[in-house]
Amino acid sequence: MAEYRNRTTGEVKSQGAIRRDHPNMSIPRVWNDGVCDALNVDPVLPGARPTPGQYQNVVRDGVEQNDAGDWVEKWVVADMFSDDADSTKAEKEAAYQATLDENTATSNRTARNEKLAETDFWGASDMTMSAEMTTYRQALRDITTHSNWPNLEEGDWPTKP
Amino acid sequence: MTTTINADTVVGGAIVTGDASGQLGLQADGTTLVELAGTVVTVSTNATSTVISSDATFQKAIVENVYTLAGTDIDPSNGTIQTKVLSAPVTFTESISAGESVVLMIENGATHTITWPTVTWVTSAGNAAPTPTEKDTFVFWKISTTLYGAYVGSYV
């Protein structure tokens, strides 16, 4: 959604909001320099977003001018949690991580079960399961004891024979 | 018989032709009276316009004046079809009386803002100033003191 900054007040608004502010004005669909001059606004260009750390978000913090003098979106990194009367920031982060781990574990168990189901037919009475397949299926069953569990990487999964 | 009048002549009553099926008279109070086949059409003037005080039927085309609007005032007295090519943002005013209407065709609206006088807009989007394109047509008319504007459409 395109944003524009009022040159006098510094207020940042969307095109729609500016149109609503000028009910008696027909404003072109494309806003060139002349239209911006008539409306006393400057366009706000996309700004670079910083990379957030663990338990951090990137949030919008108004606008700023870049080296070229253009107005751009200002993004900052903010902590997801803070201390309050009920719990500390560290406690909230631990609870958040536990939720993430539980979701990941559920997803990986589902994936594990699907991989086991793919080879269940080897257990039929008229089939002979190879030693490699037996090892593979046991490794799948033991995946929850992997040192990286539940945050497995692709290489942590056993290779299907 | 033909009578020629070569000087100002004051006539106390109507001048009546001798043909009963088509008469022309000038009334003494200054109002022009045209009587054709027994039907009276009164044509008079007020401060701003000519007034025809009966229904009028035109069996041929009506030619309206097409006016190139150089300024910014929309005035039907200049012509009821008006055109304007924008080269900069424009702020219009209006001199439209109740009962009058104007067709306004605008070019270059896609690159310039147009600020209108107070208008009750009649558009597909409701009462909102329309978004102009490269070539647009508007119609304005006034009822009592309310100026209405309709966005006819784009002709790009």
Side-chain angles (χ1 to χ4, degrees):
Chain A
M1 181 174 61
E3 291 181 331
Y4 294 83
R5 177 187 179 276
N6 186 289
R7 293 171 183 170
T8 303
T9 66
E11 199 172 12
V12 176
K13 292 186 175 182
S14 67
Q15 273 198 4
I18 294 173
R19 287 181 186 277
R20 287 191 290 276
D21 288 344
H22 298 81
N24 276 346
M25 183 182 283
S26 285
I27 304 173
R29 195 169 307 281
V30 177
W31 292 18
N32 58 17
D33 290 345
V35 172
C36 287
D37 288 345
L39 294 169
N40 192 38
V41 297
D42 288 313
V44 175
L45 307 177
R49 299 188 185 209
T51 302
Q54 194 175 26
Y55 313 125
Q56 288 182 324
N57 285 329
V58 176
V59 296
R60 180 71 183 277
D61 185 25
V63 296
E64 60 185 351
Q65 270 185 304
N66 61 16
D67 293 341
D70 297 323
W71 289 97
V72 298
E73 299 168 341
K74 182 181 178 185
W75 297 93
V76 296
V77 171
D79 289 337
M80 295 171 65
F81 306 105
S82 60
D83 293 337
D84 61 26
D86 296 329
S87 55
T88 65
K89 177 173 179 283
E91 289 171 339
K92 292 177 183 175
E93 289 173 350
Y96 176 72
Q97 186 60 54
T99 301
L100 291 181
D101 289 348
E102 181 56 34
N103 290 341
T104 304
T106 300
S107 174
N108 283 338
R109 282 193 185 93
T110 301
R112 185 268 312 270
N113 292 343
E114 289 174 353
K115 290 176 184 291
L116 284 170
E118 289 173 0
T119 56
D120 274 350
F121 70 93
W122 283 106
S125 59
D126 58 343
M127 299 287 285
T128 301
M129 189 179 297
S130 65
E132 291 83 1
M133 183 57 68
T134 301
T135 301
Y136 169 69
R137 287 172 61 82
Q138 188 59 50
L140 286 174
R141 293 189 189 94
D142 294 341
I143 195 71
T144 57
T145 62
H146 193 283
S147 58
N148 288 340
W149 180 264
N151 300 303
L152 300 175
E153 297 175 6
E154 192 61 34
D156 294 335
W157 290 92
T159 303
K160 185 178 178 181
Chain B
M1 183 186 73
T2 300
T3 300
T4 301
I5 301 172
N6 288 322
D8 292 349
T9 302
V10 177
V11 180
I15 299 174
V16 181
T17 67
D19 184 353
S21 65
Q23 297 183 341
L24 170 65
L26 300 177
Q27 284 194 333
D29 61 2
T31 299
T32 302
L33 176 75
V34 179
E35 181 173 335
L36 297 173
T39 300
V40 176
V41 177
T42 300
V43 180
S44 62
T45 59
N46 61 24
T48 58
S49 60
T50 300
V51 178
I52 300 175
S53 59
S54 59
D55 292 347
T57 299
F58 299 89
Q59 294 186 341
K60 292 291 184 178
I62 299 172
V63 178
E64 301 183 61
N65 189 42
V66 178
Y67 178 70
T68 301
L69 180 56
T72 57
D73 187 46
I74 304 169
D75 184 353
S77 297
N78 294 322
T80 46
I81 299 175
Q82 301 192 8
T83 64
K84 186 171 182 66
V85 178
L86 303 182
S87 58
V90 63
T91 298
F92 284 116
T93 58
E94 55 94 5
S95 299
I96 302 174
S97 299
E100 292 183 332
S101 65
V102 176
V103 174
L104 177 60
M105 304 177 77
I106 293 180
E107 291 189 26
N108 290 348
T111 50
H112 300 291
T113 59
I114 305 169
T115 303
W116 305 100
T118 300
V119 176
T120 298
W121 285 101
V122 181
T123 76
S124 59
N127 182 12
T131 299
T133 68
E134 197 57 35
K135 296 179 179 180
D136 297 295
T137 302
F138 305 86
V139 176
F140 296 96
W141 68 98
K142 187 173 278 187
I143 297 176
S144 184
T145 57
T146 301
L147 179 65
Y148 293 89
Y151 178 61
V152 177
S154 169
Y155 61 103
V156 174

